[in-house]
Amino acid sequence: METLQFAFRKILYAIPLLFGVTLISFLLMVYFGPDLTYSLIGKNPTAEQIAEVRTQLGYDQPFFIRYGMFLKEMVTFDFGNSLSTGERVSSILLRTVPVSFAVALPGFVLSELLALALALIAANHRGGFVDKGIMVFAVVGMSISFLIVVIVFQIAFCSIYGLNLFPVQGWVVSNVADYFHYVAVPTMVIVFVGLGYNTRFFRAVIVEELNRDYVRTARAYGVSRFRILSAHILKNAMIPISTRVIISLPFVVIAGNLVIERYFNIPGVGLITYNAITTGDLPIVKAVVTSTAILYVIALVFTDIVYRMIDPRVALNS
Amino acid sequence: MEPEPQPSERREESSLAEGGVTGPVPVDILTADASHYRSESLWTKSIRKFARDPMGIAALVIVSVFFAIACGVWAGWIGQNWSSLQADGYTGMSREHWFGTNINGQDIYARTIQGTKTAFEVGLIVAVLSTVIGGILGAVAGYFDRTIVDEVIMWLYGCLDAIPFYLFVAAVAFALRDQPYAMHVAMIATFWSSTCRIVRGEVIKIKSLEYVQAAKALGVGSMTIIFRHVIPNTFHILLVQGTIAFVSAIKSEVILTYLGLGVKHGVSWGTMLSESTFEVSAGIFNNFIAASSFLFLLVIAFNLFADALQDALDPKKVTAS
Amino acid sequence: MSDANPSAGEVGADRSGTDPVLRVEDLVVEFSTEKGRIRAVDGISFSVMPGEPVGIVGESGCGKTVTALSVLKLIPSPPGRIARGRVILDGRDVVPLGEREMRRLRGNVASMIFQEPMTALNPVFTIGSQMTEVLRIHRRMSRREAREHSIEMLHTVNIESPAKRFTQYPHELSGGMRQRVMIAMALSCDPKLLLADEPSTALDVTVQAQVMEEIRRLQEERRMSMILITHDLGVIAETCRRVIVMYCGKIVEVSDTRGLFAHPRHPYTSGLLASIPKVREKKIGRLPTIKGMVPDLADLPKGCRFADRCPKATAQCREKEPELVEVSPGQQVACFYPD
Ligand SMILES: Nc1ncnc2c1ncn2[C@@H]1O[C@H](COP(=O)(O)OP(=O)(O)OP(=O)(O)O)[C@@H](O)[C@H]1O
Ligand code: SF4
Ligand SMILES: [Mg+2]
């Protein structure tokens, strides 16, 4: 009950944010965006046809009406049809989101877990050889461009110049074995790309916690190093860490991973977004951008709730 | 609109406090708290500390070399014949073409050098503008902490943070329709927020300091206080944030260009790497190796430089020698 | 152990024949800092007898906390380390012991209470889980036994409705209450030695006295040895049988409490005592400053460390360092010209 109230209040706080992200999307892509009139009608249109399409698109309406129409699209999940294929945008999303999710999730989870493990090890040996080694690895990892990682991993695992173990591209998945076959290299790429940043972030959080007084107290009462790290510190560190993880989820789900999906030619949201960007397929880009942003705001609300569950200090009435 | 400490604020603070802390430092020993704001001597101390960091110095040297290359291109001394078709496509490495030629027979060495200039152009424009905007808005928000001004600024960066970066660039590209600066505008519009957030947090601390209170009591105007007394004391943050923005900008350029949202006219490491994606499967690596090694070197040097800078500028850090 | 020393409560009792609970011999603790290696504690020796409350006083930074931390080998390392000496706790030198063995002693043979009750407890665990953890480590109690014992301990330190407090988080308790929780936790395994590092300094003035009273009562009841670190000489007078005065990492005077107040022998001690009334008036629990500056540990003067501030300093004082020597029964001083 208390949590419900808390959640409700957080949702109220999120409304200005929702208003903001939709407004920005609307301004950039619709209000100041491209004029779609001629993409929608055939050759040699009559003046009436043009007027009709413009009315249909709402171009003759004042700002607020158009913004309202935009909001209605978002709320009803009805973004119109793709300009290039004519397919309903909502059904395109329903088809591609699960693919993106399947491609990105294993890498995402592994990357976070591996980074957390590395960060704990580094923090535990801080100042020492192991710590320095891990941190150098992290900086190197951070300094390699995503694109370079994709190229190198594809050469190394999918080409005749390397191990040639996995498919070069595509996504033909009908059973679990296929899935592992196709998801392996994208997963390795995602893990590698995220590892450096995550390890550094997690290590910073853990080291900050290590310096707190309660750690000295625990030590002074005979608590083992392992338990201090795995219980006392980890629970405190989970507050910033879980926030970060939850917040990055929507980017994984909806925005997909443009680079990976394009490079491996995987038919997820990333690829259709890429195609939409290059062909100027506004309805799709609009739908993807706005729904990701909305999901982000929802994730924010969600982190606040998780935050409260972990941290007893976050009082209800604050 | 968030009354309690925002989780994301914590994130920035911890990443700033990150680095080579060598051991737990009981709070009762940190007597430096009273002199929290940065005085002249803190800067000389930081410079001395930086000078003693071999990694930082090495990184600075590498960055300087790259910068010199970029200046050479601006001055018109090197890398000028990057677009002329000089030879057959895909000639290997030779005395005339150190890194070989690309598909069109353009000199890859000259293109790499030219790409250095593009990287600095993107990096500097984005770093400077995003830090200036973030610094000013952060200082204003922090100074007018918990007023409507603060709320509006926080709301603005909250909204911008919600939109995934690449998609935001796409959205901006739609609005600006093939403007060559769409990429820069989008980066600046997203990168200022982290600087703003950190500066805001710092300014909330600074403004309770005696000298700011004294200036207030003397009736000095808010804007004067912000620009004369507050912002100068956040320069150390701006410097670090600037280097971070620079790195993000040149890394993003590569991705955005690959996605067709970045550099369209001219040459950059991004355009070279995009070209190379069609070549590596055929076993031609010249473009790839040239662009990726330059990019990697500059980025890692900048990352190490940023780390060393952060270490040197952090007054709280107690280093064991 | 309580029956080993039936006369523990009496001041000046004959202690020959019993072994001290703690004997520190020639302890040196070094820290590597930006300014180079400093000795936060420089060759100190003292002992604490069973059931004896001993006070340590001295200005900020003189090495009191470092001394106490050394007993449990809790010196943050790096940058610190015990460079020399022996710390014999309950008959065993702890300096060469490893983490595993030290863990068995911490919170068990000797417990420590810290200055900051606000931050010393883990904010995301309940009082109960933090207290029972200690009992489960050292006493191998079941959850249930540990819970019962902890609630009883909370009761012992006069916390009202202990069963409710047991389930609460640190932030739900006041500072004084949290310090009581720390005391309960410290005593839960019946340690032989309690190290109390300024246990009341961070509290409200009204609560300070209550908490000190609690510590005093429990120390007497349990006939426990105690090292009480404080800035407040008044608290020492009420609580301790002996006093160790530290200055700049060295012990400058050791004396039984009565002797110290009646007849301080070291000029530094005299300076401290002279300013007591002022402390009381202003209610600033901090030691009043004696004229002059404490020398920098990284740049110590030759000879006596107090010379720059000492009214009696001579050329000899600036040449040689005075040793700690017995000047009267139960009173040791490190000064060439003791009062
Ligand atoms: N972690 C550390 N790093 C570096 N130096 C330290 C550290 N801990 C202690 N020191 C040094 O040891 C000296 C003694 O510190 P200590 O904490 O024992 O003082 P104290 O007598 O307890 O003072 P206070 O009354 O302020 O608590 C300090 O002056 C400091 O120079
Ligand atoms: S030795 Fe000399 S300087 Fe030191 S306290 Fe005694 S009289 Fe003062
Ligand atoms: Mg202390």
Side-chain angles (χ1 to χ4, degrees):
Chain A
M1 192 54 223
E2 281 182 341
T3 313
L4 257 173
Q5 269 183 18
F6 181 81
F8 186 70
R9 184 155 40 233
K10 284 294 155 195
I11 292 167
L12 276 185
Y13 282 133
I15 288 175
L17 218 49
L18 281 176
F19 166 72
V21 294
T22 49
L23 186 65
I24 291 174
S25 308
F26 169 72
L27 283 176
L28 287 177
M29 288 179 291
V30 181
Y31 199 73
F32 295 118
D35 188 331
L36 296 184
T37 314
Y38 297 92
S39 329
L40 286 180
I41 36 184
K43 285 186 197 125
N44 308 323
T46 61
E48 284 111 68
Q49 277 175 315
I50 293 178
E52 190 187 332
V53 171
R54 294 187 71 83
T55 315
Q56 193 189 326
L57 287 166
Y59 287 168
D60 49 359
Q61 299 291 330
F63 180 88
F64 281 106
I65 304 282
R66 292 184 65 190
Y67 178 53
M69 287 163 64
F70 178 80
L71 283 184
K72 187 167 156 250
E73 284 181 17
M74 297 302 136
V75 172
T76 56
F77 203 64
D78 175 10
F79 310 99
N81 300 340
S82 158
L83 295 183
S84 39
T85 63
E87 197 184 343
R88 293 199 63 71
V89 173
S90 48
S91 64
I92 296 180
L93 284 183
L94 288 178
R95 174 161 49 81
T96 50
V97 166
V99 175
S100 288
F101 204 76
V103 173
L105 199 65
F108 180 72
V109 172
L110 279 178
S111 180
E112 304 291 329
L113 289 181
L114 211 58
L116 191 56
L118 283 177
L120 280 168
I121 294 170
N124 191 32
H125 297 274
R126 72 184 181 290
F129 190 71
V130 176
D131 181 24
K132 288 194 178 118
I134 292 176
M135 291 333 280
V136 167
F137 168 79
V139 177
V140 171
M142 273 168 57
S143 305
I144 302 178
S145 168
F146 198 158
L147 188 57
I148 296 175
V149 178
V150 184
I151 296 174
V152 169
F153 275 47
Q154 200 196 39
I155 296 173
F157 295 104
C158 315
S159 79
I160 48 162
Y161 303 101
L163 299 172
N164 203 8
L165 287 177
F166 296 103
V168 179
Q169 54 154 285
W171 186 259
V172 190
V173 173
S174 56
N175 56 38
V176 179
D178 287 349
Y179 177 55
F180 283 119
H181 199 51
Y182 279 98
V183 87
V185 180
T187 299
M188 286 188 271
V189 171
I190 296 170
V191 169
F192 188 91
V193 168
L195 205 53
Y197 284 104
N198 285 337
T199 307
R200 268 169 70 105
F201 173 74
F202 294 165
R203 181 189 173 279
V205 171
I206 293 165
V207 166
E208 198 171 295
E209 289 301 324
L210 268 171
N211 287 330
R212 295 201 193 277
D213 284 356
Y214 71 78
V215 174
R216 186 170 69 172
T217 308
R219 288 226 303 141
Y221 285 86
V223 181
S224 71
R225 226 181 145 80
F226 179 76
R227 216 184 119 72
I228 291 179
L229 267 181
S230 64
H232 291 249
I233 286 182
L234 205 57
K235 191 164 178 197
N236 280 283
M238 276 333 274
I239 296 164
I241 288 176
S242 60
T243 304
R244 180 172 157 119
V245 170
I246 296 172
I247 284 182
S248 43
L249 258 175
F251 295 95
V252 174
V253 184
I254 287 258
N257 202 315
L258 281 103
V259 179
I260 286 192
E261 287 180 13
R262 183 189 168 200
Y263 204 82
F264 291 100
N265 202 19
I266 296 170
V269 193
L271 188 61
I272 55 131
T273 310
Y274 168 76
N275 289 333
I277 291 170
T278 44
T279 58
D281 197 342
L282 184 70
I284 291 183
V285 179
K286 191 173 73 180
V288 173
V289 171
T290 319
S291 41
T292 312
I294 291 172
L295 269 188
Y296 174 89
V297 176
I298 293 171
L300 266 185
V301 172
F302 195 63
T303 52
D304 274 331
I305 295 168
V306 172
Y307 195 62
R308 186 178 117 74
M309 289 191 310
I310 303 177
D311 191 341
R313 285 163 298 185
V314 180
L316 279 171
N317 42 15
S318 71
Chain B
M1 74 225 90
E2 293 285 325
E4 64 223 20
Q6 275 202 323
S8 41
E9 258 166 51
R10 247 192 98 149
R11 161 177 60 183
E12 300 301 341
E13 272 168 23
S14 16
S15 57
L16 202 72
E18 202 269 341
V21 180
T22 39
V25 184
V27 263
D28 51 348
I29 287 158
L30 298 173
T31 46
D33 265 351
S35 57
H36 190 87
Y37 71 96
R38 303 187 65 83
S39 59
E40 206 64 50
S41 75
L42 268 169
W43 282 104
T44 43
K45 211 174 152 191
S46 296
I47 292 171
R48 216 174 302 131
K49 205 161 155 191
F50 185 87
R52 266 189 277 130
D53 185 346
M55 272 295 215
I57 296 292
L60 183 60
V61 169
I62 297 176
V63 171
S64 311
V65 170
F66 273 98
F67 186 60
I69 294 174
C71 291
V73 178
W74 277 318
W77 295 331
I78 45 174
Q80 299 301 307
N81 52 349
W82 57 276
S83 61
S84 56
L85 313 177
Q86 303 175 21
D88 296 337
Y90 297 140
T91 63
M93 303 205 287
S94 65
R95 192 166 296 166
E96 294 83 62
H97 306 292
W98 291 358
F99 298 166
T101 56
N102 70 358
I103 186 169
N104 303 323
Q106 293 159 316
D107 182 43
I108 292 182
Y109 169 74
R111 292 173 75 79
T112 315
I113 295 297
Q114 188 73 26
T116 311
K117 182 212 75 174
T118 312
F120 270 90
E121 251 167 32
V122 175
L124 285 176
I125 291 174
V126 172
V128 169
L129 290 179
S130 69
T131 327
V132 167
I133 295 172
I136 292 175
L137 288 183
V140 170
Y143 192 80
F144 297 109
D145 180 22
R146 277 162 209 278
T147 64
I148 185 75
V149 180
D150 182 29
E151 297 284 330
V152 168
I153 292 175
M154 287 208 303
W155 171 76
L156 194 61
Y157 68 61
C159 296
L160 288 171
D161 278 353
I163 305 175
F165 174 59
Y166 299 143
L167 298 180
F168 184 72
V169 181
V172 172
F174 271 102
L176 295 180
R177 255 160 314 225
D178 295 326
Q179 279 278 331
Y181 284 104
M183 173 179 75
H184 301 69
V185 170
M187 285 194 205
I188 293 164
T190 31
F191 291 177
W192 67 274
S193 69
S194 68
T195 307
C196 180
R197 188 177 290 131
I198 299 174
V199 169
R200 176 180 174 271
E202 182 73 12
V203 168
I204 290 176
K205 287 186 227 154
I206 292 175
K207 83 170 181 179
S208 61
L209 290 177
E210 234 168 85
Y211 72 104
V212 176
Q213 295 301 332
K216 238 186 194 168
L218 287 174
V220 181
S222 298
M223 281 302 141
T224 316
I225 295 181
I226 290 175
F227 281 94
R228 290 271 295 279
H229 301 288
V230 172
I231 291 183
N233 278 308
T234 62
F235 274 163
H236 61 296
I237 297 175
L238 299 183
L239 205 56
V240 172
Q241 285 304 111
T243 56
I244 293 172
F246 187 101
V247 174
S248 310
I250 57 178
K251 282 183 77 181
S252 306
E253 181 273 317
V254 171
I255 305 295
L256 291 172
T257 302
Y258 174 68
L259 295 175
L261 293 167
V263 174
K264 295 200 180 79
H265 315 287
V267 64
S268 73
W269 295 333
T271 59
M272 292 174 69
L273 283 170
S274 305
E275 257 173 49
S276 84
T277 59
F278 302 106
E279 301 165 357
V280 288
S281 51
I284 299 163
F285 296 108
N286 298 34
N287 251 329
F288 176 70
I289 293 175
S292 62
S293 47
F294 269 62
L295 174 66
F296 173 71
L297 248 177
L298 181 57
V299 171
I300 197 167
F302 242 107
N303 273 331
L304 292 173
F305 176 65
D307 282 359
L309 209 57
Q310 227 171 78
D311 271 357
L313 291 171
D314 188 349
K316 284 183 296 193
K317 198 154 286 172
V318 181
T319 40
S321 43
Chain C
M1 75 131 259
S2 48
D3 56 350
N5 186 22
S7 58
E10 286 170 39
V11 176
D14 178 20
R15 294 186 302 268
S16 61
T18 38
D19 287 330
V21 166
L22 174 72
R23 198 163 84 232
V24 173
E25 292 174 4
D26 193 25
L27 176 71
V28 175
V29 182
E30 291 180 342
F31 284 93
S32 17
T33 66
E34 274 181 357
K35 293 183 194 161
R37 198 179 286 170
I38 58 155
R39 286 189 165 181
V41 165
D42 191 1
I44 63 168
S45 306
F46 65 92
S47 54
V48 180
M49 300 309 287
E52 185 188 34
V54 174
I56 300 184
V57 283
E59 275 160 305
S60 190
C62 69
K64 305 182 297 290
T65 300
V66 169
T67 305
L69 290 173
S70 308
V71 174
L72 289 173
K73 287 199 32 174
L74 291 169
I75 301 289
S77 159
R81 70 185 186 107
I82 296 180
R84 200 172 74 199
R86 303 209 293 164
V87 176
I88 298 156
L89 178 63
D90 195 28
R92 208 153 50 129
D93 184 7
V94 299
V95 174
L97 293 188
E99 266 296 297
R100 188 179 285 267
E101 284 152 311
M102 280 317 297
R103 278 209 310 266
R104 276 206 282 276
L105 301 177
R106 294 177 184 149
N108 193 14
V109 174
S111 293
M112 187 152 176
I113 302 173
F114 297 98
Q115 180 175 348
E116 285 292 336
M118 296 310 189
T119 52
L121 290 165
N122 195 327
V124 299
F125 287 93
T126 59
I127 302 297
S129 80
Q130 296 183 60
M131 288 187 74
T132 50
E133 182 170 25
V134 179
L135 287 164
R136 285 167 64 79
I137 291 169
H138 296 301
R139 292 288 129 97
R140 310 216 165 274
M141 285 185 184
S142 70
R143 259 174 225 291
R144 182 138 170 215
E145 285 171 319
R147 182 189 139 87
E148 275 161 17
H149 188 83
S150 302
I151 292 179
E152 198 187 308
M153 284 309 301
L154 289 176
H155 189 72
T156 311
V157 295
N158 284 324
I159 284 184
E160 274 172 44
S161 44
K164 182 178 148 216
R165 297 300 179 197
F166 183 86
T167 61
Q168 286 183 321
Y169 288 94
H171 74 274
E172 297 173 85
L173 274 59
S174 68
M177 201 115 68
R178 268 184 254 186
Q179 200 59 303
R180 281 169 199 266
V181 169
M182 280 299 303
I183 297 168
M185 201 160 124
L187 300 187
S188 64
C189 293
D190 245 325
K192 296 188 176 174
L193 174 66
L194 178 67
L195 302 156
D197 187 1
E198 308 193 29
S200 60
T201 312
L203 303 174
D204 288 347
V205 193
T206 44
V207 188
Q208 280 186 0
Q210 291 167 16
V211 166
M212 273 321 301
E213 184 49 44
E214 207 66 64
I215 293 176
R216 204 173 295 134
R217 177 178 66 79
L218 290 161
Q219 183 271 327
E220 269 170 27
E221 272 175 23
R222 300 182 161 233
R223 310 216 160 145
M224 179 176 55
S225 306
M226 174 165 80
I227 292 181
L228 175 68
I229 295 172
T230 176
H231 283 120
D232 191 341
L233 279 163
V235 165
I236 296 262
E238 287 162 15
T239 317
C240 299
R241 191 191 302 162
R242 269 195 309 138
V243 190
I244 294 168
V245 183
M246 287 185 73
Y247 186 76
C248 246
K250 289 244 177 206
I251 294 180
V252 293
E253 180 160 5
V254 181
S255 169
D256 55 72
T257 310
R258 267 192 222 159
L260 186 94
F261 282 90
H263 191 181
R265 308 299 293 261
H266 196 283
Y268 177 60
T269 318
S270 309
L272 291 185
L273 285 175
S275 38
I276 286 191
K278 275 189 245 151
V279 181
R280 285 279 161 83
E281 279 163 27
K282 290 192 187 164
K283 290 188 175 166
I284 42 164
R286 292 256 143 190
L287 276 181
T289 39
I290 300 169
K291 216 176 69 195
M293 291 259 291
V294 186
D296 186 352
L297 283 176
D299 183 25
L300 286 172
K302 206 174 155 199
C304 178
R305 293 173 186 194
F306 189 56
D308 280 349
R309 302 165 74 186
C310 181
K312 295 161 75 180
T314 65
Q316 187 196 8
C317 302
R318 298 183 192 281
E319 269 313 303
K320 263 178 60 192
E321 233 185 320
E323 300 265 328
L324 191 64
V325 289
E326 184 137 5
V327 288
S328 61
Q331 211 155 3
Q332 293 168 293
V333 179
C335 175
F336 295 120
Y337 311 104
D339 292 325

